[in-house]
Amino acid sequence: MEYPGNFLILDQLDIQAPFDEQTIVTAVIAEVIDRLTDTHYAVVLPCAQPDADTSTCLLAHAAVELAADPYDDDLQLIDTCLAKPEHAAAHARSRLASRIQHPHWHLDDEDEEAWPDEEEDVLTSRTAAVLRLAAEELSTLAWQEVTALGDEPLPRRAGGVFGQLPPITLRRNGQWRQQMARTFDDLSTDLREEGRAGVEPRCTAEEIALHLMIRQARSITVNRPNAVAKLVAGLPGSGAAYDWDGCLSDLFEDHDVLMLFDAKLDGMEDPDSEVHQAMGMVNLAADDWFEPFRPDHARDPDRGFRL
């Protein structure tokens, strides 16, 4: 088990009107958590006491909205250990997107109910449509980079699609990158042909591709509302639409692949490493990313490439 090695203590807040509003404070705290580059942090926030001042109450309620765990009567903790800052903030982000910018997404007139039924699939028709758009956009960019990069290694902190992958992939060659670019096409095809039931990562490369797709889809829904409205016109409305936090929870069997971003765990992708063996991980080394998790659910090896 991993434990946080650092603490970020948020116990003071200096914010002036008109920004002293709970939604704004929660958004700021969520952004702070997302920007943590060292994922072995525990974010510490106060609890709201009867005599607490306004700033403390704002911080305390932000912690509640971000699903913090109570530690004692005075403190709440958000544990970002093992590359989880995105998960810690995602709950609030989906709510903020609907409350601040696009309230009709969750509460429009065509929705039969304002909030999702507990049994409703997280991948609604509208969610799947935006996720497919994200896959198509990432695929286009990835194939452009395949052509531009060839076999050239990438520096750390490089941009683009391949710059968003874990550091162990920076020196992969053009053939490896072609296979990685194809994962976006494969997942996009699944969404087109099988719709809501069609997203199931079949290898490590598809897991990381799906993580990037969800990140891109989240950006699309927040920053491009007109494009989203046009894309989903005519599709059934749902209170569960654009629940990217739910997608992160439900569309993966685990999030082991995210550990590859943690510099403190360098080498854990090696099958002979103690961490790898202790946690029962599979196919995390870059050369193994395209090996199917289940041979009976493998992609057609003759499907070719988009060039």
Side-chain angles (χ1 to χ4, degrees):
M1 179 179 292
E2 295 287 342
Y3 296 95
N6 301 284
F7 293 88
L8 176 64
I9 300 175
L10 303 176
D11 61 346
Q12 294 184 353
L13 179 68
D14 183 11
I15 190 167
Q16 306 294 323
F19 304 107
D20 54 343
E21 199 273 331
Q22 188 62 62
T23 299
I24 296 174
V25 173
T26 302
V28 170
I29 301 301
E31 185 65 21
V32 168
I33 294 172
D34 268 354
R35 288 178 178 270
L36 289 177
T37 56
D38 183 340
T39 57
H40 286 263
Y41 266 88
V43 182
V44 183
L45 298 110
C47 294
Q49 303 295 341
D51 58 348
D53 58 28
T54 301
S55 295
T56 300
C57 289
L58 288 169
L59 287 171
H61 287 299
V64 172
E65 289 193 312
L66 291 169
D69 294 318
Y71 179 73
D72 56 24
D73 291 340
D74 299 316
L75 301 176
Q76 304 178 74
L77 298 179
I78 299 174
D79 186 358
T80 69
C81 189
L82 294 182
K84 295 181 182 177
E86 182 177 0
H87 298 180
H91 173 72
R93 178 175 285 107
S94 61
R95 291 184 58 198
L96 293 169
S98 63
R99 288 168 56 189
I100 301 175
Q101 296 177 319
H102 314 297
H104 62 281
W105 286 356
H106 287 266
L107 301 174
D108 55 25
D109 292 338
E110 62 184 276
D111 288 346
E112 294 182 2
E113 54 186 13
W115 302 105
D117 187 278
E118 291 184 356
E119 299 300 322
E120 187 168 4
D121 190 344
V122 69
L123 199 62
T124 68
S125 297
R126 294 188 177 193
T127 303
V130 177
L131 194 60
R132 184 185 168 205
L133 174 61
E136 293 170 348
E137 292 183 347
L138 289 168
S139 172
T140 297
L141 293 173
W143 282 110
Q144 290 173 353
E145 292 175 29
V146 166
T147 301
L149 292 172
D151 293 327
E152 289 295 317
L154 281 171
R156 284 181 177 267
R157 303 185 186 278
V161 175
F162 290 102
Q164 298 180 57
L165 303 183
I168 64 169
T169 70
L170 295 177
R171 296 185 176 275
R172 298 296 97 187
N173 61 21
Q175 183 179 14
W176 188 95
R177 289 171 179 152
Q178 286 185 3
Q179 294 181 81
M180 186 66 216
R182 185 169 59 180
T183 61
F184 298 107
D185 295 329
D186 288 336
L187 292 171
S188 176
T189 298
D190 290 346
L191 284 164
R192 180 178 67 250
E193 295 180 351
E194 302 180 43
R196 292 168 53 180
V199 178
E200 180 183 354
R202 304 189 190 190
C203 62
T204 301
E206 291 187 15
E207 284 189 333
I208 196 67
L210 185 54
H211 274 288
L212 296 185
M213 287 163 54
I214 292 172
R215 180 190 301 174
Q216 178 77 355
R218 191 193 302 276
S219 174
I220 291 170
T221 53
V222 170
N223 298 315
R224 293 154 58 187
N226 292 335
V228 171
K230 182 177 180 180
L231 178 69
V232 304
L235 294 178
S238 169
Y242 320 120
D243 180 8
W244 306 119
D245 185 24
C247 288
L248 287 169
S249 298
D250 293 359
L251 300 183
F252 301 87
E253 290 190 8
D254 59 58
H255 295 287
D256 289 350
V257 70
L258 297 183
M259 297 171 68
L260 294 173
F261 289 98
D262 193 336
K264 291 183 178 180
L265 297 175
D266 280 353
M268 52 77 64
E269 72 278 4
D270 184 348
D272 294 328
S273 73
E274 292 183 4
V275 174
H276 195 288
Q277 294 183 1
M279 300 187 68
M281 300 172 179
V282 295
N283 299 349
L284 290 186
D287 288 338
D288 298 331
W289 273 26
F290 308 103
E291 292 295 321
F293 295 136
R294 303 201 323 264
D296 62 342
H297 198 46
R299 301 283 181 187
D300 179 0
D302 298 322
R303 66 194 183 282
F305 293 91
R306 165 187 170 184
L307 294 174

